[in-house]
Amino acid sequence: MTRPEITAPVKQASAEQAASTATSLGELPIWKLSDLYPSRDSAEFKTDMEKAADLSKAFEARWKGRLTDAAANTGADGLGQALKDYEILEDLLGKLGSFAGLTYFSDTSNPANGKFYGDVQSKLTDLASHLLFFALELNRIDDATMDTALDRDPQAAHYRPWVIDLRKDKPFQLDDKLEQLFLEKSMTSAAAFNRLFDETMAELRFEVDGEKLPLEITLNMLQEPEEPVRHKAAEALSKTFQQNIRVFTLITNTLAKDKEISDRWRGFDDIADSRHLANRVEREVVDALAVAVREAYPRLSHRYYAMKAKWLGMEQMNFWDRNAPLPETPKALISWPDAKETVLSAYAGFAPQMADIARRFFDEEWIDAPVRPGKAPGAFAHPTVPSAHPYVLVNYMGKPRDVMTLAHELGHGVHQVLAGEQGALMAQTPLTLAETASVFGEMLTFRALLEKTKDKRERKAMLAQKVEDMINTVVRQIAFYEFERKLHTARKDGELTSEQIGELWLSVQEESFGPAIRISEGYETWWAYIPHFIHSPFYVYAYAFGDCLVNSLYAVYQNAEPGFQQKYFELLKAGGTKHHPELLKPFGLDATDPSFWSKGLSMIEGLIDELEALDRG
């Protein structure tokens, strides 16, 4: 998933400068999607699509209305066989969908890619309608019968964690006809508006000094050392967002209403409960996290931004100065080979197996690194399916933050490879734990670099950048979560104007930034570009959850806990087969304990203390 506001490219002032930058970075890899299919027009893709259609219909014909009987049998007619057949289908459908998605995100501006992606999504939705009965019918089997079936049939017992997890959805299921209607209409409701957002954002251009730039490059100008450059970028962003705000307001209103309708029909009490259920995390745990972070604003973001304003020679920073580099920040670009070596050596220092898995992403062309027109912004690691392998997308332009982003996404990739052993049904990790390996990998890389840095000024710049990244990952994401809560709550009373949404946005930003940052006209539209609000409502708290969890986990590692690496790999290999209390117990951690979050936040506070000490010294 896209890293929160820690992206890669820097300003491209001209084609000549861009070429020079690319040369200094070395050859950047482009992913080899042919590992999935040779091309979108290939015979292999078409054959698998036809195979998926035949298998989906055959699965429905064989098992629909027969699962209760299957629960009483073993072997070819037993529940275990039905689950195995379903998993095989899930893997095939996932492979087809992954190829279409990755092709589209390689160049969202290509109309042929857009049509291919849309057509494949439509076909997969049609096929999913033949499989929809399976989960619904499984959940209508009474508990005693299901328990007996899982105990009696060894093949079914293998899928016990998935079945138990599935049954948590039972109270929120609708009848079959309604579920099918929700599924089929998703293509013309939420999915359609998601695609409208992606394609609109990909086409936006932001004019700076007469040059029209895409979003990714313009956002990263906010990390340039010269204040006038940051100011111009902020003005260009505000201007273009404002020019398109009606579209983003319509998308936001529509998706919020669509979610409210779905939640109401399913019987969810709270606006975020459907996300909590999907994440397999209790509302009380998330509420405790949000409260802990909000209470820490003065000790974290308010305190740090006040220090940074002083370092930059300002009484108060403008909002476009928030991610400005310190004067001590090295300006030299980091080549791709150096970035690769930095991450792999940091991973190897923790566990050679971790580096070996990450190295495959480089050696076997599973990474797409260059910035190019139409390519999806930001960064993500896509797991595809267990029968294939994950892919990583970054937009690499040689800044230190880009190395951290690479370490982050490769952490996801390692996690996805290890969890793939669980198979298509149980490999997926709940979002609350999905950020564990990524943030941990990033922390390993940061600590390795920090240990090598003896120069006091460079050390200060590194620590400051890490603190900013952690504030972006924890404080900012909880502020985003609070914004979503306010927006979805207000939407229940009627459609919101862009001005009303802007007021909600500013209220949470002012609270999280504190008095050291001046929020001026234009920033009220900046909610419009955050993709998480569109694609995954309330996803954002998973970043804060993951960062705080890893801070606590890393503290256990630093204390030389015996067998830590082995326990860590077992956590990653578990995929979706275990709940967070069970996974964290071997490390002596408990996310339901209110003090758990305080421990995670104290690590950020400790880094700020270290920065303050360096400043005094």
Side-chain angles (χ1 to χ4, degrees):
M1 175 57 81
T2 302
R3 180 84 192 282
E5 293 208 339
I6 304 171
T7 46
V10 295
K11 178 186 177 186
Q12 284 183 317
S14 66
E16 183 178 334
Q17 185 185 42
S20 173
T21 299
T23 300
S24 65
L25 295 179
E27 186 176 354
L28 297 175
I30 296 175
W31 54 24
K32 189 174 68 174
L33 296 184
S34 58
D35 285 357
L36 297 173
Y37 295 101
S39 71
R40 61 173 176 252
D41 299 317
S42 66
E44 291 89 338
F45 183 84
K46 293 175 181 175
T47 297
D48 268 4
M49 186 61 81
E50 292 169 2
K51 179 182 176 182
D54 292 341
L55 288 177
S56 297
K57 293 169 186 174
F59 182 85
E60 182 181 34
R62 180 179 182 187
W63 295 110
K64 188 172 183 179
R66 296 182 173 90
L67 292 184
T68 300
D69 292 339
N73 294 316
T74 58
D77 295 321
L79 187 62
Q81 185 63 50
L83 287 161
K84 183 178 179 181
D85 291 349
Y86 184 72
E87 183 173 48
I88 290 169
L89 258 171
E90 283 290 300
D91 193 278
L92 178 57
L93 294 171
K95 183 181 178 183
L96 291 162
S98 294
F99 179 71
L102 294 173
T103 299
Y104 174 64
F105 290 121
S106 297
D107 184 1
T108 60
S109 64
N110 184 334
N113 286 350
K115 174 176 168 49
F116 175 62
Y117 180 60
D119 287 347
V120 170
Q121 288 293 97
S122 180
K123 289 176 183 175
L124 293 179
T125 300
D126 289 343
L127 298 186
S129 68
H130 294 291
L131 309 180
L132 182 63
F133 78 91
F134 189 65
L136 301 175
E137 198 171 314
L138 277 178
N139 274 349
R140 284 198 291 268
I141 298 174
D142 68 76
D143 291 343
T145 302
M146 179 61 76
D147 289 342
T148 301
L150 295 177
D151 290 338
R152 182 196 305 120
D153 186 347
Q155 194 169 35
H158 169 73
Y159 297 99
R160 185 188 299 270
W162 184 82
V163 173
I164 291 172
D165 214 34
L166 176 69
R167 291 174 88 77
K168 293 176 183 176
D169 296 328
K170 188 174 181 177
F172 308 102
Q173 284 183 186
L174 304 174
D175 65 58
D176 292 16
K177 286 289 186 183
L178 280 173
E179 289 287 0
Q180 185 157 357
L181 178 64
F182 270 54
L183 174 68
E184 293 187 12
K185 283 191 69 66
S186 66
M187 283 298 299
T188 54
S189 55
F193 280 90
N194 272 259
R195 183 175 165 189
L196 174 62
F197 174 86
D198 289 340
E199 296 189 5
T200 301
M201 197 57 72
E203 292 295 325
L204 291 186
R205 292 296 178 266
F206 305 85
E207 188 168 345
V208 181
D209 290 337
E211 202 171 2
K212 294 183 177 180
L213 304 171
L215 174 67
E216 190 80 6
I217 292 172
T218 314
L219 280 174
N220 278 274
M221 290 173 68
L222 301 175
Q223 297 176 29
E224 289 295 300
E226 300 85 8
E227 191 278 339
V229 174
R230 300 194 299 269
H231 191 180
K232 288 177 184 178
E235 288 184 330
L237 289 160
S238 296
K239 181 180 179 181
T240 301
F241 291 153
Q242 183 59 51
Q243 289 170 344
N244 294 272
I245 203 66
R246 287 183 64 187
V247 174
F248 295 120
T249 300
L250 174 62
I251 292 170
T252 300
N253 271 293
T254 302
L255 289 175
K257 184 63 178 177
D258 183 78
K259 185 180 184 304
E260 186 271 326
I261 292 169
S262 177
D263 285 355
R264 176 160 39 86
W265 275 83
R266 293 188 181 282
F268 288 108
D269 293 330
D270 184 79
I271 51 177
D273 275 353
S274 59
R275 174 61 61 195
H276 302 333
L277 178 66
N279 286 350
R280 299 306 188 240
V281 65
E282 301 78 13
R283 187 200 305 173
E284 294 75 20
V285 171
V286 178
D287 288 347
L289 165 64
V291 168
V293 174
R294 288 202 310 273
E295 289 178 348
Y297 285 173
R299 307 194 309 273
L300 302 179
S301 52
H302 296 187
R303 178 185 171 205
Y304 174 75
Y305 289 140
M307 291 166 59
K308 183 170 183 176
K310 183 185 71 172
W311 295 334
L312 294 178
M314 304 175 180
E315 286 188 17
Q316 192 180 35
M317 292 188 292
N318 290 298
F319 70 83
W320 54 80
D321 299 319
R322 187 171 55 83
N323 286 324
L326 298 188
E328 295 89 343
T329 303
K331 294 179 173 58
L333 296 177
I334 301 167
S335 71
W336 181 255
D338 286 347
K340 172 184 174 181
E341 174 58 28
T342 296
V343 177
L344 291 181
S345 63
Y347 277 24
F350 172 72
Q353 180 188 356
M354 192 169 172
D356 290 343
I357 296 171
R359 188 175 289 107
R360 295 185 65 194
F361 283 78
F362 296 95
D363 295 346
E364 300 179 36
E365 300 175 76
W366 298 353
I367 304 175
D368 194 302
V371 181
R372 58 178 179 270
K375 180 180 173 181
F380 63 74
H382 182 59
T384 70
V385 290
S387 64
H389 58 75
Y391 284 94
V392 161
L393 178 146
V394 294
N395 283 277
Y396 190 83
M397 285 292 285
K399 286 198 172 182
R401 269 198 172 113
D402 301 357
V403 181
M404 293 298 121
T405 299
L406 179 63
H408 181 100
E409 300 305 337
L410 283 172
H412 277 307
V414 169
H415 194 172
Q416 290 160 358
V417 168
L418 291 170
E421 298 173 8
Q422 299 294 344
L425 293 187
M426 296 183 291
Q428 187 172 353
T429 305
L431 293 184
T432 43
L433 291 167
E435 295 298 329
T436 304
S438 55
V439 178
F440 194 84
E442 188 182 347
M443 181 67 80
L444 290 171
T445 304
F446 166 71
R447 290 292 181 182
L449 288 173
L450 192 66
E451 285 177 15
K452 294 178 183 177
T453 304
K454 305 304 178 186
D455 182 85
K456 179 182 172 183
R457 286 170 57 84
E458 286 189 19
R459 188 177 180 88
K460 176 183 174 182
M462 282 188 67
L463 280 168
Q465 188 166 286
K466 182 59 178 173
V467 167
E468 287 180 21
D469 290 351
M470 295 173 96
I471 287 173
N472 281 336
T473 307
V474 178
V475 170
R476 191 151 172 79
Q477 301 307 308
I478 289 301
F480 284 176
Y481 176 64
E482 296 299 331
F483 166 70
E484 287 190 278
R485 290 199 64 88
K486 289 187 175 187
L487 186 146
H488 283 261
T489 299
R491 180 64 179 89
K492 290 182 178 182
D493 295 328
E495 193 161 307
L496 302 172
T497 65
S498 56
E499 290 77 15
Q500 288 173 313
I501 298 175
E503 288 170 5
L504 297 176
W505 169 255
L506 292 179
S507 70
V508 299
Q509 297 305 300
E510 288 168 351
E511 181 187 9
S512 64
F513 286 165
I517 292 183
R518 180 189 302 110
I519 297 179
S520 51
E521 186 177 355
Y523 193 64
E524 68 276 1
T525 61
W526 283 44
W527 54 269
Y529 82 92
I530 310 296
H532 304 78
F533 300 157
I534 304 302
H535 298 310
S536 307
F538 301 105
Y539 173 93
V540 288
Y541 74 72
Y543 286 116
F545 193 110
D547 200 278
C548 288
L549 187 156
V550 166
N551 289 343
S552 297
L553 202 60
Y554 198 84
V556 176
Y557 170 56
Q558 284 183 309
N559 291 331
E561 179 77 18
F564 180 92
Q565 283 87 341
Q566 185 59 39
K567 294 176 188 175
Y568 179 73
F569 278 110
E570 291 303 316
L571 182 152
L572 301 188
K573 289 177 182 178
T577 63
K578 295 180 181 179
H579 195 219
H580 67 83
E582 189 179 357
L583 288 170
L584 295 179
K585 188 175 181 180
F587 303 96
L589 300 174
D590 180 5
T592 64
D593 182 349
S595 66
F596 174 83
W597 303 115
S598 300
K599 291 176 186 174
L601 294 170
S602 68
M603 179 173 282
I604 308 176
E605 197 170 356
L607 292 176
I608 298 175
D609 290 340
E610 190 174 345
L611 268 172
E612 200 167 48
L614 276 174
D615 202 37
R616 285 197 305 265

